[in-house]
Amino acid sequence: MKEVKISRRTFLKGTSATVALLSLNSLGFLGGNTIANATEKIFEDWKYAGWENLHREEWTWDKVTYGTHLVDCYPGNCLWRVYSKDGVVFREEQAAKYPVIDPSGPDFNPRGCQKGASYSLQMYNPDRLKYPMKQVGGRGSGKWKRVSWDQCLAEIAEGIVDGLEAQGPESIIFESGPGNGGYVHVMAVHRLMVSLGATVLDLDSTIGDFNRGIYETFGKFMFMDSVDGWYFGKLLLIWHMNPVYTRIPSYHFISEARYNGAEIISIAPDYNPSCMHADEYIPVEMGSDAALGLAVCQVLMNKKWVDYPFVKEQSDLPLLVRKDTDRFLSAADIEKGARDDQFCFWDSKNNKVVKAPLETLKLPCDPALEGVYKATLLDGKTVEVEPVFNKLKALLDSEYTPEQASEMCRTNPDTIRRMAEKCYKASGGIQVMVGWNSPKYYHGDLIERAMCLVLTLTGSLGKKGCGIRGWNESLFEGAFTQIFKQKIGLMNLTRQLPLMRRVWESFKKEDPTISDEMASIKQERVIDRNMVNYTIPAFLYYNHSNYKKAWDNKAWHCPTMKREFKEYYDEAVNSGWWDGYVKPEKDQTPTVYCWMGTNPARKNRGWEKNILGSLWDKYKTIFGFETRWTTTLLYGDYALPCAGFYEKLDTRFPTPHVPWLTLTDEAVKPIGECKTEWEICLMLAKKIEEAAKKRGKTNFVPRTPVQEEYMPFLNQFSVRDAKGNVEISKLHDWQLMGSSGKDFDEIMEDALQSSVMLGNLPPGTNLKYMREHGIVRFVDVSIFDPVTMNLATDIKPDEPIIPLTWHTGEKKVPYPTYNRRIQFYIDHPWFLEAKEELPVHKDNPKIGGNYPLRLTSGHQRWSIHSIWVSNEQLLRTHQGRPFMFMSPEDAEKRGVEDGDLVRVFNDFASFKIHVKVTPAARPEKGAAKPGQVIIYHAWEPFMFPEWKSYDIAIPGMIKWLDLVNNYGHLHYWRWNWCAQPIDRGISVNVEKA
Ligand code: SF4
């Protein structure tokens, strides 16, 4: 073969493996010899072969494994083939092997996005964390020193034991992210923190993804169809979602739905990228969607375009409300010894009050929806009562006609009527495609309650192609939480379900009318409070940080909050509503902070003003499990470098949206000195034991008492003794979970087997199968896990997951709400005081002050949260720096031009950012109609001048009603009913910098 002369540069371009090797070498990831040997060999091979070998080399590899991305790119779960050579991953490609489920619709293939396609570059990005590090020049100084694992973990362990001794277990604060880092490895860190008795901050209340209004209405929000169900909808209302940006692998189901006759409407304040692909764009004022939704309902009710049988059977609209008290008419009101949480219908045929059954949705009569009636109370007194439907109709007719609503939401009345007619025509087939934008508005619950009302009036729930969605991290949950929360030690004895069953059955015995789902929620509350120390961060923030200053500022709350915020807070705490959850207590100073899979300095609203300088300074030891240099890490004390997504065995957290368990495998060894979280936790557990032993300490006493009746269970859930004390000498053994501690395969195998045993995964699923196939579809839900139970459906092998069928189908299982029906009327005294007993519209409060613009946000297209935001390749696909959208009108008023650097400010803080002028943003129209500026998240604060990101101007208010915790389902449990600092619709102004 003729020798071809070719420059070294061209040669290097030719083989991806070589490029990867060289770039790694230049960044110091590999030893000099490794790179020299590898490149020389390739170079030698090539020299005598010819240019064809460029391509031959490009398509050679040592190994192909399955991989996915362990991030909250919800719903994710895309399966990739990962190609590695000489210990380096050099490319990945979509595996595209999802089987056809429902032949009448499209399949899932291929799944993937540009972030996933560039993860092999991301794992070698210059900001990859490779070694244990200690900050030696003070937090935020940037002066770091490389230390050994031994030193790093020993010092952290000393800090933890200091904290345990000085302030008790609750003073150790753990904050985790939404599954970033892998399902099993996240749980490994959780397990260690729970064992220590640390305060575990609830996930949803730190990320703000709790759909409050859906929860208020259904008693749950973690239900949804699988994304292939979107194809079967008749009318898809994209509402508080931007799927073109955020659902890249699933978006095709939306566009393909048109082939099935669906119509797509996008409802948003700005003409976002999803609007241009819709059949109709309906503009709405920021945060005023409740007015639009309620006006649609007003038209539906007045035209009698209502699915009456559905409304009567499924919702609380026929339940009677007393006109004298505005409370539900209860069975106890009319019958001696009857329950006060059972409510009543008006039997329209026999003209009398009839009790609504508690254990079923089956109707005992034909309940009236309209009219006012008289009911006789136990004391002989007669009171007027009316169905919720009647009250609602009167409210909508008086305040939410299309013309009235148009004043609030700036949507044309004719557009509202047209939308109502489309909803009527699509009855039984409307999908409200809501994301996690609405819950981040102050009155997001009202917005979602209005959406749910549209769906309920049109009977668009529990059928193929319709419904609404929250998020759900479940299906596998049944098995994995059993393992990590309850495993008692021996492998293959993971399944101590009898223990769970005893708690669960005790609730069923106590009240035989409750459903399995309600029992599993109650059981979860027991676990969260007593065994895993979950709590909302509101107490930590209010007692120990500067959030208090913001929350106590009445001017930044809704004017309908009648009393001072502090009064509500005190009432909620002093009434005992949150007993067991207020941790650390007011006089218990936080001492240690640990995070994993999250970036709190980027994410926590107003972090720099609210936490840095107050709560942050109280922590004596701060450490994080990280794969890269985040802003949070830059403010920390110790960096624990973790294996990347192709450097360890794990699964992506599963979800009903994409109901496959998806494996990622160790394609290559972790780079530098990185280790898996599992390994790190084992090592850290040992160090903590040693540090305590040196001080002669064997146990530590938590302040939060365990509920007496659950004390016997406690030592089966954690390293607690019979008195509830943390037995520190057992930490390492507990963390092993009965495994040898040497081979993570054991853990994964056990998890898979447990899931098979619980019936979540099909028989025959094991690690060998997963390594061969990469994915496996779930076959059932677990009755012991409330999150999976919230789906309330049976998974079928040949159709999309359709949630809620246990309620809407033949079973007629009640909903887990206070009144056990789809609940639109909330008669809690605080809701009555706020006039939010029914869904209403309320304007955004002036959070941050009285300014003419409102800051909104959403997920950006080029990164999953901040994980890819510094990726060199992706930075080249956009402006490569933080930017803010602004309307031409508002820009011109301020002399701002495209590309200008501006200062954004309010009464809370200010920051600088570049502007992108676009007519897609809403301009200001007079004092009552603010203009819009949009910053898609999630830029790292260190990308802004002085590290001041847009988050700094967000005070992070919480709505006072979220502090209720004594009303049926308005009662905290993991990820549910958790007050969350909001970040949308913030008042700001802009000036040229
Ligand atoms: Fe899929 Fe998420 Fe990976 Fe993108 S980052 S390919 S959405 S798993």
Side-chain angles (χ1 to χ4, degrees):
M1 187 180 287
K2 190 174 170 229
E3 190 177 330
V4 178
K5 293 278 182 211
I6 190 164
S7 72
R8 187 178 175 89
R9 191 165 157 267
T10 315
F11 166 76
L12 292 178
K13 271 186 168 174
T15 65
S16 305
T18 313
V19 171
L21 283 166
L22 284 177
S23 57
L24 285 176
N25 188 49
S26 69
L27 295 167
F29 284 107
L30 302 175
N33 284 345
T34 316
I35 186 71
N37 296 343
T39 50
E40 273 317 305
K41 182 168 183 318
I42 296 167
F43 202 67
E44 283 301 309
D45 288 350
W46 170 79
K47 202 161 59 178
Y48 301 106
W51 62 267
E52 299 92 333
N53 265 9
L54 286 177
H55 300 294
R56 291 193 188 112
E57 286 292 342
E58 189 171 6
W59 297 102
T60 61
W61 47 83
D62 299 338
K63 199 159 79 164
V64 187
T65 44
Y66 283 115
T68 189
H69 308 110
L70 306 174
V71 292
D72 185 24
C73 50
Y74 195 90
N77 277 292
C78 309
L79 186 68
W80 292 74
R81 290 182 203 274
V82 176
Y83 297 84
S84 50
K85 184 164 177 151
D86 295 325
V88 174
V89 176
F90 67 94
R91 64 189 289 267
E92 58 271 273
E93 70 179 8
Q94 289 156 298
K97 55 176 295 184
Y98 297 86
V100 171
I101 299 300
D102 187 336
S104 63
D107 62 38
F108 280 69
N109 293 302
R111 287 189 66 74
C113 75
Q114 85 281 34
K115 281 83 71 184
S118 60
Y119 185 70
S120 54
L121 296 173
Q122 174 68 17
M123 64 195 283
Y124 305 124
N125 210 49
D127 59 355
R128 178 75 196 269
L129 177 68
K130 292 171 289 180
Y131 305 103
M133 304 287 280
K134 175 182 179 180
Q135 185 145 231
V136 291
R139 293 168 186 166
S141 67
K143 290 185 184 145
W144 289 81
K145 187 180 159 205
R146 189 172 153 187
V147 290
S148 67
W149 272 111
D150 194 61
Q151 181 187 341
C152 189
L153 294 176
E155 290 185 16
I156 291 172
E158 292 291 340
I160 288 173
V161 176
D162 284 349
L164 289 167
E165 273 195 308
Q167 293 289 332
E170 297 88 347
S171 74
I172 295 164
I173 312 297
F174 174 54
E175 184 161 355
S176 72
N180 298 325
Y183 204 58
V184 191
H185 288 92
V186 169
M187 286 295 175
V189 185
H190 262 272
R191 185 176 176 89
L192 180 62
M193 291 298 145
V194 166
S195 302
L196 287 169
T199 298
V200 179
L201 301 185
D202 185 275
L203 168 69
D204 250 347
S205 44
T206 57
I207 63 175
D209 283 359
F210 170 55
N211 296 92
R212 284 179 286 156
I214 300 178
Y215 183 89
E216 285 168 357
T217 308
F218 294 96
K220 55 184 172 181
F221 78 104
M222 293 178 146
F223 58 88
M224 69 288 299
D225 56 0
S226 47
V227 292
D228 48 343
W230 300 351
Y231 174 80
F232 298 98
K234 293 186 211 164
L235 178 63
L236 274 58
L237 301 176
I238 300 176
W239 206 348
H240 279 267
M241 197 199 228
N242 183 11
V244 165
Y245 265 26
T246 59
R247 302 288 184 281
I248 291 172
S250 309
Y251 182 78
H252 68 95
F253 289 113
I254 298 175
S255 52
E256 286 158 348
R258 282 209 191 87
Y259 294 118
N260 201 33
E263 183 167 358
I264 320 284
I265 297 179
S266 184
I267 303 164
D270 51 316
Y271 191 72
N272 67 49
S274 298
C275 299
M276 70 182 78
H277 297 287
D279 297 306
E280 182 172 358
Y281 164 53
I282 296 185
V284 66
E285 179 68 26
M286 289 160 285
S288 69
D289 312 67
L292 169 65
L294 292 172
V296 167
C297 293
Q298 195 271 344
V299 177
L300 291 172
M301 289 169 88
N302 274 277
K303 297 264 186 191
K304 302 205 182 301
W305 290 341
V306 172
D307 184 340
Y308 291 106
F310 186 89
V311 162
K312 287 181 180 180
E313 182 188 87
Q314 297 284 313
S315 79
D316 70 345
L317 295 182
L319 290 182
L320 297 172
V321 176
R322 289 171 57 162
K323 280 178 88 82
D324 60 335
T325 60
D326 286 331
R327 307 294 300 261
F328 283 114
L329 177 72
S330 75
D333 286 339
I334 55 166
E335 187 182 303
K336 202 168 173 208
R339 293 175 61 143
D340 61 5
D341 64 346
Q342 182 172 16
F343 307 111
C344 305
F345 299 128
W346 185 263
D347 180 342
S348 59
K349 291 220 170 65
N350 299 306
N351 278 323
K352 60 173 188 173
V353 173
V354 169
K355 284 187 287 180
L358 288 163
E359 64 284 353
T360 179
L361 290 168
K362 238 176 239 161
L363 290 171
C365 63
D366 182 17
L369 287 175
E370 298 192 50
V372 177
Y373 307 95
K374 286 196 167 31
T376 307
L377 305 183
L378 266 181
D379 61 5
K381 202 173 127 196
T382 301
V383 290
E384 285 193 325
V385 292
E386 62 178 329
V388 175
F389 188 96
N390 204 55
K391 279 182 97 67
L392 176 69
K393 190 167 181 305
L395 172 76
L396 299 188
D397 285 347
S398 64
E399 294 180 31
Y400 295 97
T401 63
E403 279 69 20
Q404 288 168 313
S406 179
E407 290 295 311
M408 307 171 208
C409 63
R410 284 165 78 185
T411 308
N412 188 294
D414 290 340
T415 306
I416 297 174
R417 285 197 185 86
R418 190 169 62 245
M419 179 173 157
E421 191 171 350
K422 285 180 180 178
C423 287
Y424 164 60
K425 287 182 177 160
S427 286
I430 304 171
Q431 273 270 356
V432 172
M433 310 205 64
V434 69
W436 298 285
N437 196 55
S438 46
K440 295 184 179 72
Y441 276 92
Y442 192 94
H443 290 305
D445 56 337
L446 295 173
I447 294 170
E448 290 172 4
R449 287 171 76 188
M451 292 170 174
C452 296
L453 188 58
V454 173
L455 292 173
T456 303
L457 292 178
T458 58
S460 296
L461 293 157
K463 303 181 188 89
K464 196 169 171 179
C466 68
I468 194 163
R469 65 209 51 261
W471 63 270
N472 186 309
E473 184 174 314
S474 75
L475 291 176
F476 210 27
E477 187 82 357
F480 271 169
T481 49
Q482 305 309 325
I483 288 172
F484 283 94
K485 285 185 196 157
Q486 302 144 39
K487 190 175 166 81
I488 51 175
L490 294 172
M491 299 295 287
N492 301 321
L493 277 181
T494 312
R495 313 73 161 148
Q496 73 265 200
L497 295 180
L499 183 66
M500 292 313 301
R501 196 159 193 114
R502 272 164 61 199
V503 177
W504 186 81
E505 276 176 351
S506 69
F507 286 120
K508 296 276 287 184
K509 212 162 149 194
E510 214 173 79
D511 183 357
T513 70
I514 64 170
S515 65
D516 292 354
E517 182 183 22
M518 290 170 87
S520 77
I521 292 171
K522 278 171 163 263
Q523 167 209 273
E524 183 64 31
R525 285 199 187 104
V526 170
I527 297 171
D528 293 346
R529 173 176 167 171
N530 296 295
M531 287 95 178
V532 295
N533 314 327
Y534 275 170
T535 191
I536 62 170
F539 308 110
L540 170 73
Y541 289 168
Y542 199 71
N543 289 332
H544 298 285
S545 82
N546 280 342
Y547 270 107
K548 184 175 190 308
K549 284 187 199 161
W551 294 356
D552 283 349
N553 185 347
K554 197 159 188 275
W556 292 353
H557 284 279
C558 179
T560 64
M561 184 178 84
K562 295 245 165 33
R563 299 175 265 152
E564 294 292 326
F565 179 85
K566 187 177 180 313
E567 249 188 81
Y568 292 102
Y569 179 92
D570 287 344
E571 185 180 327
V573 172
N574 297 338
S575 308
W577 296 353
W578 291 93
D579 276 1
Y581 296 103
V582 184
K583 50 192 164 192
E585 290 174 9
K586 205 169 178 176
D587 60 348
Q588 192 176 21
T589 310
T591 57
V592 177
Y593 180 77
C594 163
W595 77 94
M596 190 255 161
T598 185
N599 190 358
R602 195 284 303 160
K603 172 199 72 180
N604 291 349
R605 294 27 168 175
W607 183 85
E608 191 175 330
K609 299 256 324 188
N610 287 330
I611 290 183
L612 188 71
S614 56
L615 179 57
W616 205 249
D617 289 350
K618 293 180 184 168
Y619 297 129
K620 301 270 186 277
T621 304
I622 297 177
F623 65 101
F625 293 77
E626 281 287 11
T627 54
R628 61 188 192 91
W629 287 96
T630 61
T631 305
T632 311
L633 187 52
L634 295 172
Y635 283 111
D637 297 332
Y638 296 96
L640 303 177
C642 297
F645 310 154
Y646 301 154
E647 294 170 341
K648 63 185 174 188
L649 175 67
D650 208 322
T651 70
R652 168 60 160 60
F653 70 78
T655 148
H657 267 127
V658 182
W660 278 274
L661 182 69
T662 313
L663 192 82
T664 194
D665 208 349
E666 187 190 79
V668 293
K669 290 284 168 211
I671 206 159
E673 291 183 10
C674 293
K675 291 184 183 295
T676 66
E677 291 82 352
W678 164 251
E679 293 172 295
I680 298 168
C681 286
L682 276 174
M683 289 159 49
L684 182 56
K686 194 98 212 140
K687 290 286 180 202
I688 297 168
E689 270 188 31
E690 287 167 10
K693 199 172 167 193
K694 260 195 301 185
R695 304 182 197 195
K697 285 278 180 188
T698 53
N699 62 41
F700 294 95
V701 186
R703 283 210 205 172
T704 321
V706 172
Q707 288 167 291
E708 197 60 38
E709 62 268 41
Y710 302 113
M711 193 63 105
F713 296 115
L714 198 60
N715 65 358
Q716 300 184 52
F717 282 86
S718 61
V719 288
R720 301 285 188 98
D721 63 18
K723 290 184 182 154
N725 300 328
V726 175
E727 288 190 281
I728 208 79
S729 54
K730 291 188 178 163
L731 205 59
H732 183 260
D733 268 3
W734 181 257
Q735 193 68 21
L736 280 172
M737 296 193 308
S739 76
S740 67
K742 293 190 179 107
D743 187 358
F744 189 72
D745 283 15
E746 285 177 63
I747 302 294
M748 184 61 82
E749 189 70 85
D750 193 53
L752 292 166
Q753 292 308 310
S754 304
S755 269
V756 171
M757 192 172 157
L758 285 168
N760 303 143
L761 293 175
T765 307
N766 54 29
L767 191 50
K768 182 167 177 284
Y769 176 92
M770 291 303 291
R771 283 192 162 126
E772 276 169 22
H773 300 276
I775 48 171
V776 62
R777 192 171 190 261
F778 289 93
V779 290
D780 203 358
V781 297
S782 159
I783 67 160
F784 293 102
D785 184 76
V787 179
T788 56
M789 290 289 281
N790 284 170
L791 283 179
T793 197
D794 301 308
I795 299 177
K796 299 202 176 129
D798 55 358
E799 75 174 9
I801 290 177
I802 305 168
L804 308 184
T805 59
W806 292 348
H807 307 299
T808 59
E810 283 174 11
K811 291 184 183 168
K812 305 283 175 239
V813 176
Y815 293 85
T817 55
Y818 176 60
N819 65 32
R820 305 199 186 187
R821 312 172 71 79
I822 301 173
Q823 184 164 355
F824 291 105
Y825 192 79
I826 300 174
D827 66 343
H828 186 280
W830 283 18
F831 279 69
L832 289 165
E833 180 190 85
K835 299 210 180 318
E836 293 190 24
E837 63 275 19
L838 285 167
V840 291
H841 160 76
K842 290 185 176 180
D843 281 341
N844 273 327
K846 290 179 176 155
I847 301 171
N850 193 8
Y851 293 102
L853 302 173
R854 295 288 177 274
L855 175 61
T856 68
S857 186
H859 287 204
Q860 61 163 267
R861 185 182 173 83
W862 315 280
S863 180
I864 306 297
H865 304 288
S866 56
I867 293 168
W868 274 262
V869 83
S870 54
N871 179 291
E872 289 194 322
Q873 186 156 5
L874 289 171
L875 280 168
R876 288 189 203 112
T877 66
H878 57 93
Q879 295 202 8
R881 63 184 182 192
F883 61 91
M884 177 177 81
F885 290 116
M886 188 175 193
S887 73
E889 294 90 331
D890 289 334
E892 196 184 342
K893 264 188 227 165
R894 293 161 177 82
V896 171
E897 291 182 5
D898 198 47
D900 277 354
L901 185 70
V902 295
R903 180 173 164 266
V904 183
F905 61 95
N906 58 19
D907 293 344
F908 189 58
S910 70
F911 61 94
K912 289 177 187 157
I913 193 166
H914 289 89
V915 161
K916 173 73 197 156
V917 175
T918 169
R922 286 174 90 76
E924 184 197 350
K925 290 266 166 69
K929 306 293 175 198
Q932 180 184 28
V933 286
I934 310 159
I935 304 176
Y936 286 101
H937 97 301
W939 308 100
E940 282 283 4
F942 63 64
M943 299 171 93
F944 289 76
E946 302 165 65
W947 292 16
K948 292 186 192 311
S949 83
Y950 68 99
D951 291 303
I952 199 174
I954 299 172
M957 308 300 284
I958 60 171
K959 185 168 173 175
W960 76 104
L961 294 178
D962 296 355
L963 291 174
V964 166
N965 206 38
N966 65 333
Y967 178 93
H969 59 300
L970 305 190
H971 189 169
Y972 171 70
W973 60 282
R974 167 174 54 115
W975 308 335
N976 287 264
W977 196 246
C978 44
Q980 52 191 6
I982 63 95
D983 69 356
R984 299 290 200 268
I986 307 302
S987 288
V988 293
N989 207 346
V990 170
E991 64 184 12
K992 212 166 159 173

